[in-house]
């Protein structure tokens, strides 16, 4: 129902009032039988939405014994707007026209008068009058059905547009998956092979250890890349994990495999939300990567503790002891960490320290993410 239309109850009350006014004008109050029929037909309009055929039958005495037309015409219109039985509607319109044409009482009917031109004209006028609300009701019903069909068509088009967008996205993901597999996987595989050869052929223990670390990280990267490619090829058809999701239990191994001097200081209870654990893990991972790239020779300290319902993660590195190598970077790491923390209701701050190092500080509420 449109917001501009009055409420149905208010509309029905107004229609009853109009029918009562019509009866008041055309019915002599002294004629109690006619007045009773007229007011009965007017009050019956309150039932027109739930029982349209019954309402029409109750208004027929009004057309039979009075000249009031609002109640029977309104009932006939309502019946036409709600019913699909066109034979029934034609019969009701014809019945109303005949009742309106015949005089009351029927004992005063003169059969010879039926053939007069004026009476035939009167009957034709009654048929046209009865047909008008029927046609109007059918028009309203058709308009209502058309509106519903247009709404269904619009919904179907939106669904089709969504499917088209998903199809395009699936093609883009598949293409991206192929590019990642062809380019990154090939290069990382070569690194792993060369590192394995260096590990076997070198006599220097430190070199062999470094080669083993490089080979292990390459294999781990290839494994995560395979998970990423499978997600891209899934194209959103089903939930797929990007990789076995890390937790705080994996932090010690992450720090040991970082390839730099790093210390982990943590004393956390068990049962922290998985989303919080992953956010902490990814933050420490990004901080260690940045320290390795931009602060060669620096020592890193990772401190994680919980205070007043908030989990604090501080990653601090000392000043670099060597010149950093020029490595490619899109500078999206810290932005991604800030977005992840914001989704969990936390914050990420970072900046240089007074000793020439760098610090990254993650704060996450624990209870909110339970």
């Amino acid at each position: 129902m449109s917001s501009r239309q009055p409420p149905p109850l208010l509309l029905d009350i107004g229609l009853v009032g109009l029918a009562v006014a019509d009866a008041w004008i055309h019915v002599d109050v002294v004629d109690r039988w006619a007045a009773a029929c007229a007011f009965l037909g007017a009050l019956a309009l309150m039932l027109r939405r739930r029982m349209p055929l019954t309402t029409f039958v109750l208004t027929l005495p009004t057309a039979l014994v009075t000249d009031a037309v609002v109640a029977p015409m309104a009932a006939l219109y309502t019946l036409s707007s709600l019913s699909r039985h066109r034979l029934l509607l034609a019969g009701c319109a014809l019945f109303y026209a005949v009742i309106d044409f015949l005089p009351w009482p029927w004992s005063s009917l003169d059969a010879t008068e039926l053939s007069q031109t004026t009476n035939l004209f009167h009957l034709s006028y009654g048929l046209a009058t009865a047909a008008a609300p029927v046609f109007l009701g059918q028009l309203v019903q058709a308009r209502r059905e058309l509106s519903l069909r247009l709404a269904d068509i619009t919904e179907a088009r939106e669904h089709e547009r969504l499917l088209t967008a998903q199809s395009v996205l699936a093609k883009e993901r598949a293409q991206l998956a192929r590019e990642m597999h062809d380019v990154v996987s090939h290069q990382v595989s070569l690194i792993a092979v060369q590192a394995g050869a260096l590990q076997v052929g070198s006599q220097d223990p430190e070199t062999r250890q470094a080669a083993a670390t490089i080979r292990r990280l390459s294999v781990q990267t290839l494994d995560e890349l395979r998970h990423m490619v499978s997600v891209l090829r899934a194209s959103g058809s089903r939930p797929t994990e990007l990789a076995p999701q890390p937790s705080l239990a994996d932090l010690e191994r992450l720090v040991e495999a970082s390839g730099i001097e790093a210390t982990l200081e943590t004393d956390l209870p068990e049962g922290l939300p998985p989303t919080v654990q992953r956010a902490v893990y990814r933050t420490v991972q990004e901080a260690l990567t940045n320290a390795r790239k931009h602060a060669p020779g620096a020592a890193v300290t990772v401190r994680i503790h919980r205070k007043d319902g908030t989990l604090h993660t501080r990653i601090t590195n000392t000043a670099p002891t060597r010149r950093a190598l020029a490595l490619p970077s899109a500078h999206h790491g810290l932005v991604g960490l800030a977005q992840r923390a914001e989704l969990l209701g936390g914050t990420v701050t970072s900046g240089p320290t007074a000793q020439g190092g760098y610090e990254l500080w993650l704060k996450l509420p624990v209870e909110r993410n339970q």
Side-chain angles (χ1 to χ4, degrees):
M1 182 181 66
S2 175
S3 59
R4 296 181 180 180
Q5 295 179 349
L9 180 60
L10 183 61
L11 186 60
D12 290 343
I13 293 175
L15 188 58
V16 170
L18 182 61
V20 170
D22 181 47
W24 184 269
I25 295 173
H26 293 92
V27 179
D28 189 357
V29 182
V30 179
D31 189 353
R32 295 184 177 180
W33 168 247
C37 291
F39 283 103
L40 173 64
L43 294 177
L45 293 178
M46 295 297 295
L47 305 174
R48 68 189 185 96
R49 299 180 188 274
R50 290 173 292 179
M51 297 182 290
L53 183 58
T54 302
T55 302
F56 173 70
V57 172
L58 292 176
T59 60
L60 285 178
T62 303
L64 179 63
V65 302
T66 71
D67 292 330
V69 297
V70 172
M73 295 285 283
L76 188 57
Y77 161 77
T78 303
L79 177 62
S80 177
S81 66
L82 298 177
S83 176
R84 301 175 184 270
H85 201 312
R86 295 188 177 180
L87 185 60
L88 173 65
L89 296 177
C92 290
L94 180 61
F95 194 58
Y96 168 74
V98 171
I99 286 180
D100 183 62
F101 169 73
L102 294 177
W104 180 259
W106 288 342
S107 58
S108 62
L109 178 64
D110 186 357
T112 59
E113 296 179 356
L114 296 178
S115 60
Q116 295 181 4
T117 305
T118 55
N119 288 331
L120 293 176
F121 178 78
H122 185 195
L123 179 60
S124 301
Y125 177 78
L127 288 173
T129 303
V134 173
F135 288 146
L136 181 60
Q138 288 289 286
L139 179 62
V140 171
Q141 183 181 136
R143 180 180 180 273
R144 183 168 57 245
E145 293 177 352
L146 180 60
S147 298
L148 294 177
R149 291 186 180 182
L150 287 176
D152 292 340
I153 291 175
T154 302
E155 183 179 356
R157 286 182 177 177
E158 289 297 329
H159 183 64
E160 182 180 1
R161 188 178 297 111
L162 178 61
L163 292 179
T164 302
Q166 291 178 348
S167 176
V168 173
L169 180 60
K171 292 180 180 179
E172 292 179 350
R173 285 183 171 184
Q175 181 179 0
L176 180 59
R178 289 193 298 269
E179 293 295 332
M180 289 180 61
H181 182 271
D182 294 343
V183 178
V184 182
S185 178
H186 176 71
Q187 300 294 339
V188 176
S189 298
L190 290 179
I191 294 175
V193 171
Q194 294 295 331
L198 180 62
Q199 180 183 1
V200 174
S202 177
Q203 301 297 325
D204 185 10
E206 293 186 0
T207 302
R208 296 179 63 181
Q209 180 64 30
T213 302
I214 294 173
R215 185 176 184 276
R216 177 166 47 81
L217 292 177
S218 300
V219 172
Q220 181 181 353
T221 301
L222 284 174
D223 185 58
E224 293 184 358
L225 179 62
R226 281 193 292 269
H227 283 285
M228 178 69 72
V229 169
S230 66
V231 171
L232 293 175
R233 286 177 174 170
S235 302
S237 59
R238 56 183 176 86
T240 306
E241 294 290 348
L242 297 181
Q245 295 298 296
S247 63
L248 294 182
D250 303 313
L251 276 179
E252 185 174 354
R253 183 173 57 185
L254 175 66
V255 172
E256 292 177 354
S258 63
I260 58 178
E261 182 183 350
T263 305
L264 177 63
E265 300 176 4
T266 177
D267 183 15
L268 294 175
E270 297 181 356
L272 289 176
T275 53
V276 173
Q277 296 190 44
R278 287 196 294 270
V280 172
Y281 182 92
R282 295 305 183 190
T283 301
V284 174
Q285 184 182 47
E286 179 66 22
L288 292 175
T289 301
N290 288 340
R292 186 168 54 246
K293 289 170 56 177
H294 305 298
V300 179
T301 303
V302 180
R303 298 182 179 91
I304 307 175
H305 68 281
R306 181 174 178 177
K307 181 179 179 182
D308 299 331
T310 302
L311 189 65
H312 297 264
T313 304
R314 287 176 178 266
I315 306 97
T316 308
N317 64 268
T318 60
T321 59
R322 301 190 303 272
R323 182 178 179 182
L325 299 176
L327 297 174
S329 175
H331 304 288
H332 292 162
L334 294 179
V335 175
L337 293 180
Q339 292 175 348
R340 182 192 293 267
E342 184 178 356
L343 291 175
L344 298 176
T347 58
V348 170
T349 56
S350 60
T353 63
Q355 293 76 24
Y358 200 84
E359 182 180 69
L360 182 65
W361 186 6
L362 169 67
K363 293 185 289 185
L364 290 176
V366 178
E367 283 77 7
R368 172 178 173 178
N369 298 286
Q370 290 287 356

